[in-house]
Amino acid sequence: MTDATIFAISLGITLLGLVISWGVYRRRGAGAGLRGAAWSLVPVAATLTGVTRFFLDLATFDAAKWAGAAVAALAVVLYLVSGVMISRRAGAPDRPAAGGPKERRAAGGRAPKEPRGAVEPARHDPEMAEIEEILRNRGIK
């Protein structure tokens, strides 16, 4: 395939994507439309930088190229897995402090339940104390 053919195909895909992005902009707003326009420009950018030619050349069997593609795929997978591992570790709580939930467990192995809707007494806020008193007078705990 010649470079002119590749460019014409990628330009056609880009123009089609931009037309669709205009419709998305009208329906869903500027954010969605701009995101569509950004993705629509990728084919022309890939052609102008030579990435499209690389992938077309990759389609022909060459062991070194396929090995490079496999290493690149492995790198992407490892990067994604490490991101998941880091996000799980960041969200995990540290060890519980003394007097934490493990030490408060009852004999049955469960943490003691607190009553539903329990209202803690208001400290230093007279308005909250007044609201809590009204709730108690009406039988709401």
Side-chain angles (χ1 to χ4, degrees):
M1 221 185 264
T2 65
D3 287 339
T5 307
I6 294 171
F7 183 75
I9 291 171
S10 65
L11 185 64
I13 292 170
T14 295
L15 291 175
L16 178 65
L18 289 173
V19 169
I20 293 170
S21 297
W22 175 255
V24 170
Y25 164 73
R26 301 277 309 222
R27 255 185 207 187
R28 295 188 181 176
L34 286 175
R35 182 171 285 176
W39 280 109
S40 298
L41 294 174
V42 169
V44 168
T47 300
L48 293 174
T49 58
V51 173
T52 306
R53 173 57 64 190
F54 169 76
F55 281 114
L56 287 174
D57 290 343
L58 187 64
T60 60
F61 184 75
D62 183 11
K65 289 180 184 176
W66 280 98
V71 170
L74 177 64
V76 168
V77 168
L78 291 176
Y79 183 78
L80 293 174
V81 168
S82 70
V84 170
M85 293 172 68
I86 289 171
S87 68
R88 284 189 181 175
R89 184 176 53 191
D94 292 335
R95 291 183 179 173
K102 286 189 176 183
E103 292 186 15
R104 290 188 295 161
R105 293 189 185 259
R110 292 184 175 177
K113 291 185 180 180
E114 296 185 17
R116 288 187 181 183
V119 179
E120 293 184 24
R123 298 181 187 139
H124 311 296
D125 190 1
E127 290 179 7
M128 284 303 294
E130 183 180 347
I131 292 171
E132 289 174 4
E133 184 179 340
I134 292 170
L135 290 173
R136 274 194 296 273
N137 290 339
R138 295 186 184 231
I140 301 172
K141 293 183 180 183

